[in-house]
Amino acid sequence: RLLILAPAIAGVGVVCHFGMMLWAQHEFASPESVVAAQSTMLAHGGSLYYSLRDYPYTVTAYMPLFYGLETALLKAGLPVYQAGRSISFAALLGIFALVWRLLLLYTGERRYAWTGLALCASTSLLLQWGTVAQVDTLAVFFSLAGFYQFSRYYLRGDKTLLWAAALALAAVFTKQTAVA
C-alpha cells in the first residue's frame, strides 16, 4: 500500500509543479532570469560570450547547450520563462524514466524500480529544479543517460559505449560541473 501511496503523492506533486510552471510569468529563482536574459540576447542575434572589456558586460556561467535549446524554443514562439521551464521539466521526466530503467537494469525487480522512482519523484530539490529554468536538471539528465548507456554496455555487453560518451559530453556542454 505504501508503494502505491508514495508514488501517488509524488505524482500529485509533479502535476502541481507543472501547473505552477505554466501559470507563473515571473522568475522562481535568480539564475532563471540570468539564463533567460542571455538566451534572449542569443535569440536576437547576440552572443553568449562577450569580451569582459567591452559592453555588454555579461558573464555566461554555463555552457551553451541549454542556452541553445532555450533560444530555439524562443524562436518557435514560447515565452522565455516557459521555454526554459519546458526544457527543465522534460529533463525531469527523463530523469524519472532513467531512474526506473536503471533500477530495472541493475535489480530486475519492478518493486525496487517503483520504490526508487517514488524516492526520486518525492525529492523536493529535484522537483524544484525541474520546474524552473535550471541548467542543472538538463545536465543531470544527460549524465544519468550516459550512465545508463554505460551500464547497458557493462552489464549486457550492448554496443552503447559511444552513446555513453556522447551523453557525457552533452552533460559537460550543459554545465561544466557535470563532469563530476
Side-chain angles (χ1 to χ4, degrees):
R1 290 183 184 168
L2 184 61
L3 284 177
I4 294 171
L5 182 63
I9 292 170
V12 169
V14 170
V15 170
C16 289
H17 275 271
F18 180 70
M20 190 174 296
M21 176 189 90
L22 294 177
W23 171 75
Q25 296 177 3
H26 301 290
E27 73 178 27
F28 282 135
S30 55
E32 195 173 24
S33 295
V34 174
V35 172
Q38 291 171 329
S39 295
T40 303
M41 286 191 327
L42 185 62
H44 291 100
S47 175
L48 287 177
Y49 307 106
Y50 290 98
S51 169
L52 292 177
R53 292 183 301 250
D54 303 317
Y55 182 80
Y57 302 106
T58 59
V59 176
T60 303
Y62 307 113
M63 299 295 275
L65 196 55
F66 189 91
Y67 294 118
L69 289 172
E70 189 172 33
T71 299
L73 291 175
L74 278 171
K75 288 187 175 190
L78 255 67
V80 66
Y81 288 123
Q82 275 72 27
R85 291 172 187 164
S86 298
I87 295 167
S88 291
F89 193 74
L92 177 69
L93 295 179
I95 289 169
F96 292 160
L98 285 167
V99 165
W100 171 266
R101 294 188 65 135
L102 271 165
L103 287 170
L104 278 180
L105 183 67
Y106 275 94
T107 66
E109 290 285 331
R110 288 173 118 25
R111 288 178 293 165
Y112 298 151
W114 274 114
T115 304
L117 182 60
L119 288 172
C120 181
S122 63
T123 305
S124 64
L125 183 61
L126 196 57
L127 281 177
Q128 180 185 353
W129 281 1
T131 51
V132 299
Q134 192 79 24
V135 176
D136 303 71
T137 312
L138 188 61
V140 168
F141 167 74
F142 283 134
S143 297
L144 203 54
F147 180 68
Y148 173 69
Q149 294 302 330
F150 173 77
S151 296
R152 287 181 54 204
Y153 163 78
Y154 186 74
L155 294 175
R156 294 186 191 162
D158 294 347
K159 296 182 186 225
T160 57
L161 212 49
L162 286 175
W163 277 109
L167 289 163
L169 276 174
V172 170
F173 277 97
T174 303
K175 189 169 182 186
Q176 303 93 317
T177 56
V179 73

